[in-house]
């Protein structure tokens, strides 16, 4: 049995949803445990006070990347069957700016807003409300924005294909970037603690 | 303090080894449970008939993807409604959803049956091929015929087939009408190994 289990038909839709629910609960649990339900903590990264979000997210990327590479190498995962989201250059650039602005203003991103709301924080509830309002508005206006939505399509891009560099070299490059940036972010945190 | 350092060292080591390990994709050879596939073939669960496929298309089953593995010239000349063309070499790198039912066809049945093995080896479960290929489609769906002296039950069955056939613009024939059409090109097409003549005949009807 090799992964991805749902894509390769080893598990059905029900089992897939059950696994998704378990992973979702675990994800929410870990986010809350690492303090990411608090907008104060999250906003700290924009002032280089507290780079926990950056470190947690980059650690997750690093762990998943190494896991997929080595499980694929050992034959437990069919890497070619993992879904790679397609790139739409301008719409995703616009979306990224809106997302980043919202993150800085609210101090929460979609996942952490759910965690924040689940622990009874009102700002989390407000962000979730805004998120659903935005989703609904996009749905109603979709006919008007659909041309932009699907413009500048680049298909599924991966760093090895884009850079023309072997997969393993990209993996080791990302590891070096991650470890370097962890060190840099801890230095920034120490400096801002001294300033205060 | 030491745990993060150990983890960093482990990441560094795994990253460094990755540069010399090569791509994970080369280890993704398809796997084949040959005895299981043999049972599927034995139980005749590997293929569909042209009439079954026609019923699926008529019922607008949106989970069914019909894949034509012939070349583009043949595809342009004629293809089964709703079919999409994917050449054999592209087929193996085309991602399908596990929930999709894939029906493969070629002129006869050989290429589609080979494609069936490839997709089963890649782990897709709901894969079928059109047993007699496009020939069977042209014979059974586009040009069904029945002898005038057929039994009543055969005639009742033929009426059901005719209904499906007419949906696709086919022309069901009964009795002498069928045999009085010596130019019906399907047997000739089988011998020459090409569907072109049969296709020309079907297209000539303007459907």
């Amino acid at each position: 049995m090799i992964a991805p289990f749902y894509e390769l038909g080893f598990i059905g839709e029900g089992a897939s949803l059950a696994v998704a629910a378990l992973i979702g609960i675990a994800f929410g649990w870990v986010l809350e445990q690492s303090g990411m339900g608090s907008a104060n903590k999250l906003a700290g990264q924009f002032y280089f006070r507290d780079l926990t979000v950056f470190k947690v997210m980059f650690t997750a990327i690093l762990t998943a990347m190494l896991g997929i590479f080595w499980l694929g190498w050992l034959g437990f995962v069919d890497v070619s069957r993992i879904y790679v989201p397609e790139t739409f250059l301008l719409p995703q650039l616009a979306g990224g700016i809106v997302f980043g602005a919202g993150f800085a203003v609210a101090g929460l991103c979609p996942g952490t807003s759910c965690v924040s709301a689940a622990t009874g924080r009102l700002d989390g509830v407000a962000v979730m409300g805004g998120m659903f309002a935005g989703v609904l508005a996009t749905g109603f206006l979709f006919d008007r924005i659909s041309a932009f939505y699907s413009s500048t399509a680049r298909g599924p891009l991966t760093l090895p294909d884009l850079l023309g560099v072997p997969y393993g070299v990209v993996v080791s490059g990302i590891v070096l970037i991650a470890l370097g940036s962890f060190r840099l972010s801890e230095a920034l945190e120490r400096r801002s603690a001294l300033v205060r | 303090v030491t745990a993060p350092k150990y983890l960093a060292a482990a990441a560094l080591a795994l990253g460094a080894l990755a540069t010399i390990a090569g791509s994970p994709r080369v280890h993704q050879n398809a796997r084949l449970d040959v005895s299981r596939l043999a049972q599927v073939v034995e139980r005749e669960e590997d293929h569909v008939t042209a009439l079954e496929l026609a019923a699926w298309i008529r019922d607008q089953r949106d989970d069914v993807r019909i894949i034509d593995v012939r070349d583009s010239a043949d595809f342009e000349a004629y293809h089964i409604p709703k079919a999409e063309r994917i050449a054999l070499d592209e087929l193996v790198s085309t991602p399908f959803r596990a929930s999709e039912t894939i029906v493969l066809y070629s002129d006869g049945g050989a290429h589609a049956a080979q494609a069936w093995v490839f997709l089963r080896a890649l782990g897709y479960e709901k894969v079928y091929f059109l047993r007699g290929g496009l020939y069977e489609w042209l014979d059974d769906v586009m040009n069904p015929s029945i002898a005038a002296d057929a039994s009543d039950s055969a005639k009742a069955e033929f009426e059901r087939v005719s209904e499906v056939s007419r949906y696709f613009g086919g022309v069901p024939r009964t009795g002498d009408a069928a045999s009085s059409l010596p130019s019906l090109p399907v047997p000739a097409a089988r011998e020459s190994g090409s569907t072109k003549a049969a296709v020309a005949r079907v297209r000539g009807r303007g459907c």
Side-chain angles (χ1 to χ4, degrees), chain B residues 138-140 142-146 171-173 175 177-191 197-199 201-202 205:
Chain B
L138 294 171
D139 276 352
D140 293 358
M142 303 310 290
N143 297 302
S145 62
I146 189 171
V171 181
R173 293 183 182 81
S179 54
S180 72
L181 280 170
S183 60
L184 196 68
V186 174
R190 272 187 208 277
E191 280 157 29
V199 162
R201 175 85 192 160
V202 172
R205 292 206 299 257

Side-chain angles (χ1 to χ4, degrees), chain B residues 63-67 84 86 94-97 100-103:
Chain B
D63 60 321
V64 175
R65 277 179 77 177
I66 305 163
I67 311 294
E84 52 194 302
I86 304 178
T94 303
F96 295 98
R97 298 222 149 260
E100 282 173 334
T101 300
I102 304 162
V103 180

Side-chain angles (χ1 to χ4, degrees), chain A:
Chain A
M1 202 155 107
I2 51 171
F5 300 140
Y6 178 68
E7 282 299 310
L8 290 168
F10 293 116
I11 59 171
E13 203 153 323
S16 165
L17 287 173
V19 170
L22 284 177
I23 293 175
I25 290 166
F27 183 58
W29 177 279
V30 171
L31 280 183
E32 174 56 27
Q33 286 297 303
S34 42
M36 301 241 249
S38 159
N40 280 333
K41 190 173 180 68
L42 266 62
Q45 72 175 327
F46 299 113
Y47 306 98
F48 302 120
R49 270 198 325 250
D50 185 338
L51 288 151
T52 307
V53 181
F54 173 77
K55 287 187 282 184
V56 167
M57 290 302 169
F58 215 163
T59 303
I61 291 169
L62 204 63
T63 310
M65 177 187 71
L66 288 170
I68 288 171
F69 180 88
W70 285 105
L71 288 173
W73 192 83
L74 292 168
F76 293 115
V77 176
D78 184 347
V79 175
S80 67
R81 295 293 291 276
I82 294 175
Y83 173 66
V84 179
E86 288 150 74
T87 298
F88 298 91
L89 224 48
L90 288 177
Q92 284 170 349
L93 193 65
I97 290 170
V98 172
F99 185 100
F103 199 165
V105 170
L108 293 167
C109 64
T112 53
S113 75
C114 298
V115 172
S116 183
T119 50
R121 294 182 178 95
L122 285 178
D123 59 338
V125 176
V127 172
M128 272 187 81
M131 192 163 74
F132 282 111
V135 168
L136 269 179
T138 307
F140 283 124
L141 295 173
F142 192 72
D143 284 345
R144 287 201 216 162
I145 59 167
S146 64
F148 177 65
Y149 189 88
S150 52
S151 64
T152 52
R154 295 288 185 274
L157 296 179
T158 60
L159 287 175
D161 292 341
L162 201 62
L163 303 173
V165 174
Y167 195 155
V169 173
V170 171
V171 167
S172 76
I174 303 272
V175 169
L176 290 177
I177 292 171
L179 296 182
S181 52
F182 290 155
R183 182 152 259 208
L184 180 69
S185 43
E186 307 236 302
L188 284 169
E189 283 169 346
R190 274 196 301 274
R191 207 181 65 171
S192 83
L194 283 179
V195 170
R196 273 181 291 157

